[in-house]
Amino acid sequence: MSTRTKIKALLESDETNVDVTVKGWVRTFRNNQFIALNDGSTNNNVQIVVDFENTDAALLKRITTGAALSVTGTVVPSLGKGQKIDIKAKEIEILGDSDPEKYPLQPKKHSLEFLREIAHLRFRTTTFGAIFRVRNTLSFAIHQFFQERGFVYLHTPVITASDAEGAGETFHVTNFDLENIPKTENGEIDYKQDFFGRATNLTVSGQLEGELGAMALSDIYTFGPTFRAENSNTTRHLAEFWMIEPEMAFADITDNMDTAEALLKYVIKYALDKNKDDLEFLSTRLLDEEKQKPQNERSEMTLLEKLQFCLDNDFERLTYTEAIDILKDSTPNKKKKFQFLVEGWGTDLQSEHERYLVEKHFKKPVILTDYPKEIKSFYMRQNDDGKTVAAMDILFPGIGEIVGGSQREERLEKLEQRMDEIGIPKDELWWYLDTRRFGGCPHAGFGLGFERLVLFVTGMGNIRDVIPFPRFPKNAEF
Ligand code: ATP
Ligand code: MN
């Protein structure tokens, strides 16, 4: 019988002088005597002490970095530093060899760029083990937050027929033989002959469908993959990312802000409680990384302090208009240090402006509201001033925009008028407009980019390092 003990459980228990079986992968093997074994249940390794004098030399040779082992032995108090217990091996079985000459993950420091190229193996590093355990916890915590509040998890389609939202460039979905695409008499692509009988794409947002759900279920949320063919090679954009999109009936923009802030605090707290070891490790990793930077570019707080700070403080709430005034008067704007100078009301905020507000001016998360309608989507509720809409974006230190949301326009005439102004085909969105025709009501929602959240909580610098297999321009390996 395989009564395997996970290393996390073993290290948490104080019991010694018992026999256990552990299974995992060798991180290091020192002096033919000490194996650091890790099974992914925790970022801590268990130390296996091998009685090398009484162990077959051929077996010893096969204990190499990366090899998979099953070890049965006695738990004993450790004589070494840094761990409470060791396992004195009685029986070692090699489950999978790993040729040390060829194994790409040597027991030394590898760059994150290199590890991205071996993403199939990077889970086995302490850093990526920690990241993906934290990612798991955050994902669970998100479901728990909404479930505790009676939200219904709604699965919106991945394949859709419209990019009416205009959220970004879409990926086309087609079944056509690309060598021989059917054309109409006018020479246009004849989508009538395609699988769905019309042009389709991968979803850029589940919001519009989410609103339909909320108009019956009251509170819904989606949590699924989202695709944008934006050619932005940044540290904050992926072509495939996961988004959480709650939609709440009978809610206004303040309810929306309150929910988003509560959600972010809830999941950060959850991760701090659940993944303390991982976050302590990541906090130290960040400190080490920042030692390479000049003093003035280093963070004032450690990762753990930053997360705690986020829990202890209210997010700063202000309007776009107030933000523009602050930015216009700011030193980098006056000294022309911004790449895009803030000249007046109406321009979209660039990431450098968002980061100035969050990191320099307020030094805490910021919620910006009431943006000019011209720079926001058609479905956002028009404010009485005729110029702004009830939008809200949450900006985080080191990240910029992490949440984008709004109160939705529930008034049919206002919505149609805005769609006409922007040129959004109303006939295509007949189903969306129906919700305003039949029992429409005030409602609000937002989109939280899951990887941006994981970036913030893990303190990593590149979004490609917080999703197992990142998709970005010219890359779909693995
Ligand atoms: P940005 O201006 O940063 O590109 P956006 O305005 O396009 O963001 P929304 O359309 O409001 O973003 O999407 C909601 C959320 O989804 C964003 O706040 C962000 O957290 C996340 N997000 C958007 N685009 C991406 C992307 N390409 N990769 C990862 N996350 C994204
Ligand atoms: Mn974008």
Side-chain angles (χ1 to χ4, degrees), residues 263-398:
L263 169 67
L264 289 164
K265 288 181 166 162
Y266 182 98
V267 300
I268 291 169
K269 168 134 186 16
Y270 200 93
L272 277 171
D273 291 344
K274 181 88 195 299
N275 291 69
K276 199 160 168 290
D277 286 354
D278 290 321
L279 291 173
E280 272 169 6
F281 171 80
L282 290 167
S283 195
T284 311
R285 189 206 73 84
L286 189 61
L287 270 183
D288 287 346
E289 189 185 84
E290 294 206 327
K291 281 187 191 140
Q292 331 277 330
K293 292 186 181 172
Q295 192 78 39
N296 64 342
E297 282 174 30
R298 295 185 202 163
S299 317
E300 288 169 30
M301 284 185 240
T302 67
L303 175 62
L304 289 175
E305 286 166 350
K306 212 168 66 172
L307 297 176
Q308 192 58 46
F309 181 86
C310 196
L311 300 183
D312 296 341
N313 291 280
D314 290 339
F315 297 0
E316 189 72 34
R317 299 182 184 192
L318 71 156
T319 65
Y320 163 92
T321 306
E322 288 163 338
I324 286 289
D325 288 341
I326 293 171
L327 289 166
K328 265 199 303 204
D329 274 348
S330 70
T331 318
N333 201 53
K334 286 191 193 146
K335 291 198 171 162
K336 305 207 189 309
K337 286 273 162 64
F338 282 143
Q339 198 188 336
F340 298 90
L341 293 180
V342 180
E343 261 138 27
W345 196 91
T347 53
D348 206 355
L349 297 182
Q350 302 294 328
S351 145
E352 57 179 343
H353 307 138
E354 297 177 343
R355 295 187 61 168
Y356 173 84
L357 290 170
V358 174
E359 290 158 27
K360 297 280 178 319
H361 190 84
F362 290 110
K363 294 181 191 280
K364 56 152 111 162
V366 167
I367 312 184
L368 284 187
T369 60
D370 305 294
Y371 284 74
K373 63 178 180 196
E374 282 75 21
I375 59 173
K376 288 288 179 187
S377 303
F378 75 92
Y379 50 71
M380 298 191 177
R381 194 175 196 279
Q382 296 165 51
N383 288 329
D384 292 341
D385 62 11
K387 286 165 34 186
T388 60
V389 288
M392 64 115 186
D393 280 4
I394 303 187
L395 315 178
F396 259 37

Side-chain angles (χ1 to χ4, degrees), residues 51-236:
D51 179 5
F52 63 97
E53 283 165 340
N54 296 306
T55 305
D56 180 14
L59 181 83
L60 285 176
K61 268 191 93 171
R62 293 171 65 196
I63 305 175
T64 55
T65 300
L69 305 188
S70 172
V71 177
T72 303
T74 312
V75 182
V76 294
S78 179
L79 300 175
K81 267 196 228 139
Q83 69 259 352
K84 276 197 292 192
I85 57 134
D86 290 343
I87 297 176
K88 251 181 97 180
K90 288 183 176 168
E91 197 188 323
I92 297 177
E93 188 190 344
I94 312 280
L95 301 174
D97 286 290
S98 172
D99 182 344
E101 302 295 318
K102 297 193 180 129
Y103 188 55
L105 259 187
Q106 295 301 319
K108 63 162 198 172
K109 207 171 149 52
H110 291 292
S111 74
L112 294 170
E113 289 75 16
F114 171 73
L115 292 171
R116 227 171 275 147
E117 287 167 17
I118 52 162
H120 60 307
L121 295 173
R122 67 178 177 171
F123 300 112
R124 297 185 186 190
T125 63
T126 316
T127 299
F128 284 93
I131 293 169
F132 291 114
R133 277 187 299 272
V134 171
R135 183 178 165 113
N136 166 65
T137 297
L138 289 169
S139 146
F140 181 81
I142 283 163
H143 283 293
Q144 184 152 299
F145 174 89
F146 286 120
Q147 294 295 328
E148 279 175 359
R149 284 161 184 75
F151 283 62
V152 174
Y153 180 27
L154 194 74
H155 297 96
T156 49
V158 170
I159 300 174
T160 66
S162 64
D163 168 34
E165 205 208 337
E169 292 289 316
T170 61
F171 287 102
H172 303 297
V173 174
T174 179
N175 220 22
F176 279 152
D177 171 2
L178 296 184
E179 306 285 329
N180 185 19
I181 297 173
K183 297 275 170 70
T184 62
E185 280 170 13
N186 306 334
E188 288 166 352
I189 297 174
D190 187 8
Y191 286 110
K192 286 213 172 60
Q193 295 188 47
D194 204 349
F195 190 91
F196 297 105
R198 60 196 297 181
T200 48
N201 55 265
L202 293 177
T203 184
V204 292
S205 160
Q207 180 202 318
L208 299 189
E209 290 91 349
E211 284 186 51
L212 312 181
M215 287 302 103
L217 299 162
S218 279
D219 294 327
I220 64 94
Y221 69 106
T222 72
F223 188 172
T226 309
F227 308 86
R228 295 189 186 176
E230 43 198 356
N231 211 346
S232 37
N233 253 308
T234 74
T235 54
R236 276 163 203 83

Side-chain angles (χ1 to χ4, degrees), residues 427-454:
D427 51 339
E428 255 182 47
L429 287 181
W430 62 273
W431 45 271
Y432 184 69
L433 291 168
D434 257 8
T435 54
R436 276 61 174 174
R437 289 193 185 103
F438 310 117
C441 72
H443 62 290
F446 61 86
L448 163 64
F450 185 53
E451 283 75 20
R452 296 209 185 158
L453 171 66
V454 183

